[in-house]
Amino acid sequence: MCENALRFTAKRAASMEGEALSALCTPALVVDIDKVKRNAERMIKRCQNLGVQLRPHMKTHKTLECADIMTGGSRRCIVVSTMAEACFYADHGFDDILYAYSLPFDKVERCAALSERLDLFQVLLDHPHALEQLKKRPLRDGRLWHVWLKLDCGNGRAGVLHSEPEALRLAQAIAETEGVELTGVYAHCGNTYNCRGVEKIQAVAQETTDLTLQFMEKLKAVGITCKSSIGSTPSCSHPVKDMAQLSEVHPGNYGFYDVQQSVIGSCSLEDVAVRVLTRVIGHCPHRNQLLIDCGWSGLSLDGAGKLPTGYAVIEGHPNLKLLSMTQEHGRVEPISGLLDYSKYPLGSLLTLIPYHSCATAVMHPVYHVHSEGRLLGKWTPTRGW
């Protein structure tokens, strides 16, 4: 979107307060602020009941406003996944920021700048070569690099495998390195995303918790004490009791939730706070289809169309399926029967509940915030890496 168009979009959004959602140009991402607040309050309460620190992840929404809601206004103790997010939040008064991404060597100097500027900026690593990078760049004024060790407890993405001797050796090396502090051990139980139902979610949460706590005991046996943190939205939406023995948890998607989380069992469809508004732009009776003005550039292809309703849930229309998308078009057809085109006149609105809100949100330069269908304003996310 060109700069002038962005300015026009921002100006228009600012002037629409109090109007109905139907006043928006489409495709448009809309956020129900009442649901966001309710989702955030529930997670804060869960963590308080467990007695663990909540460190919410910012990667789903990437906005100041939602960060304020998720931190209860403290602007402290957050997780980010990009340097762009880290700098964005630091520039707007946030502190105690954990950059929870295996340390990229091209960004060491930027990490150093934030470490020297903020009260607490923390990095994450899972390889001895990353530790060597920190050794080569000592921080000024006697400051320490605050480092979390990324542990793989079965998720199979980043992290040193919990059972490998290298994990303990790397933790010891971090703890023994001058100018560096082992702040904590961090595990992401993203394997909860393969679950269906609370029982299976909690089984994975229990396993991740057990493996993390067992590793903490190994550290204690060699004289090392530090924090422990696990997280994912499914595991933190249905925490197990033993998670109370952890220092922190770090879920993120729960502010918005999405169809994927409802399928997993993290939430109900009613908890999902985001929608994409789209309009009917074509009737195709020879194919028994509608065309809509939302393609993958307004929704994403995440989920691969495997829902019974395709790439999204079309709210209020259980017999409609978003069959496929090109960049700017979506093809909608009935799950059964023939379309009654009189119910879907050209220009009429449809509401898509996204499969994965993280992937959908990143497609939009502005989020339109509403309460009970009346526009309140806009949130502008940070972008890039």
Side-chain angles (χ1 to χ4, degrees):
M1 188 180 288
C2 70
E3 189 175 340
N4 287 339
L6 278 172
R7 279 200 294 265
F8 174 79
T9 300
K11 184 177 180 181
R12 175 173 169 79
S15 66
M16 295 176 72
E17 185 173 342
E19 292 194 43
L21 296 182
S22 58
L24 292 170
C25 290
T26 52
L29 185 81
V30 296
V31 178
D32 186 327
I33 194 168
D34 302 309
K35 291 185 178 181
V36 172
K37 287 179 177 178
R38 185 164 64 246
N39 293 339
E41 287 164 3
R42 286 173 177 169
M43 190 61 74
I44 289 170
K45 187 67 174 176
R46 283 189 203 105
C47 293
Q48 288 173 343
N49 290 340
L50 275 174
V52 298
Q53 175 66 53
L54 171 63
R55 183 181 290 276
H57 210 307
M58 302 291 105
K59 76 177 191 70
T60 300
H61 58 86
K62 303 175 188 266
T63 66
L64 298 175
E65 296 86 350
C66 197
D68 274 333
I69 293 170
M70 293 171 81
T71 62
S74 72
R75 295 202 162 192
R76 294 293 182 272
C77 199
I78 62 171
V79 192
V80 299
S81 59
T82 67
M83 277 304 300
E85 293 166 30
C87 294
F88 175 69
Y89 287 109
D91 289 346
H92 289 88
F94 285 75
D95 213 316
D96 188 357
I97 299 172
L98 169 55
Y99 178 29
Y101 194 85
S102 300
L103 182 69
F105 292 3
D106 62 318
K107 298 179 178 67
V108 171
E109 190 55 41
R110 294 172 71 188
C111 288
L114 286 175
S115 296
E116 291 168 346
R117 170 183 159 195
L118 299 177
D119 289 341
L120 184 57
F121 181 74
Q122 301 151 90
V123 297
L124 179 146
L125 58 80
D126 60 4
H127 198 282
H129 290 176
L131 180 58
E132 290 301 316
Q133 292 291 316
L134 300 185
K135 287 182 185 179
K136 293 176 185 176
R137 177 46 171 101
L139 298 177
R140 301 182 182 94
D141 302 322
R143 285 187 171 236
L144 298 176
W145 281 105
H146 295 278
V147 176
W148 289 72
L149 174 66
K150 180 63 178 288
L151 203 64
D152 181 357
C153 292
N155 183 42
R157 193 172 64 183
V160 58
L161 194 61
H162 67 94
S163 57
E164 291 294 322
E166 288 81 0
L168 184 57
R169 284 200 290 267
L170 182 53
Q172 289 177 292
I174 296 168
E176 293 167 2
T177 298
E178 185 178 355
V180 178
E181 172 196 89
L182 178 60
T183 303
V185 173
Y186 184 103
H188 174 54
C189 42
N191 40 338
T192 51
Y193 280 67
N194 299 320
C195 296
R196 296 294 181 269
V198 174
E199 185 178 347
K200 291 182 178 178
I201 291 170
Q202 292 187 326
V204 173
Q206 185 68 56
E207 180 183 38
T208 306
T209 301
D210 289 344
L211 295 175
T212 302
L213 293 174
Q214 287 167 20
F215 189 77
M216 301 309 292
E217 288 300 314
K218 292 180 185 177
L219 292 180
K220 193 179 295 184
V222 295
I224 298 174
T225 57
C226 63
K227 294 179 180 179
S228 56
S229 180
I230 76 162
S232 70
T233 283
S235 63
C236 295
S237 295
H238 299 292
V240 295
K241 290 181 180 178
D242 285 344
M243 286 169 65
Q245 299 177 57
L246 301 164
S247 308
E248 300 183 356
V249 294
H250 50 260
N253 174 276
Y254 69 92
F256 284 178
Y257 280 128
D258 49 37
V259 173
Q260 178 180 219
Q261 295 291 347
S262 72
V263 171
I264 292 167
S266 308
C267 66
S268 72
L269 210 52
E270 282 300 307
D271 296 321
V272 180
V274 291
R275 305 285 191 276
V276 175
L277 300 185
T278 183
R279 283 186 167 85
V280 176
I281 58 168
H283 289 169
C284 310
H286 57 292
R287 297 197 308 266
N288 196 29
Q289 289 179 347
L290 303 169
L291 278 184
I292 58 173
D293 66 358
C294 181
W296 54 255
S297 62
L299 189 67
S300 94
L301 292 170
D302 213 347
K306 292 180 180 178
L307 294 169
T309 53
Y311 285 89
V313 170
I314 304 179
E315 192 166 35
H317 299 278
N319 193 44
L320 291 185
K321 178 177 183 176
L322 179 52
L323 177 70
S324 64
M325 290 177 287
T326 56
Q327 185 168 342
E328 303 297 346
H329 295 81
R331 296 183 184 92
V332 175
E333 67 179 24
I335 293 173
S336 62
L338 295 175
L339 279 172
D340 180 353
Y341 287 96
S342 67
K343 294 181 179 178
Y344 312 105
L346 296 185
S348 60
L349 275 175
L350 291 174
T351 303
L352 309 178
I353 311 179
Y355 177 80
H356 188 183
S357 59
C358 307
T360 296
V362 81
M363 299 292 184
H364 293 262
V366 170
Y367 311 156
H368 300 276
V369 183
H370 70 95
S371 176
E372 298 181 350
R374 291 289 167 181
L375 291 166
L376 299 177
K378 64 182 180 66
W379 293 350
T380 302
T382 191
R383 288 291 179 253
W385 294 271

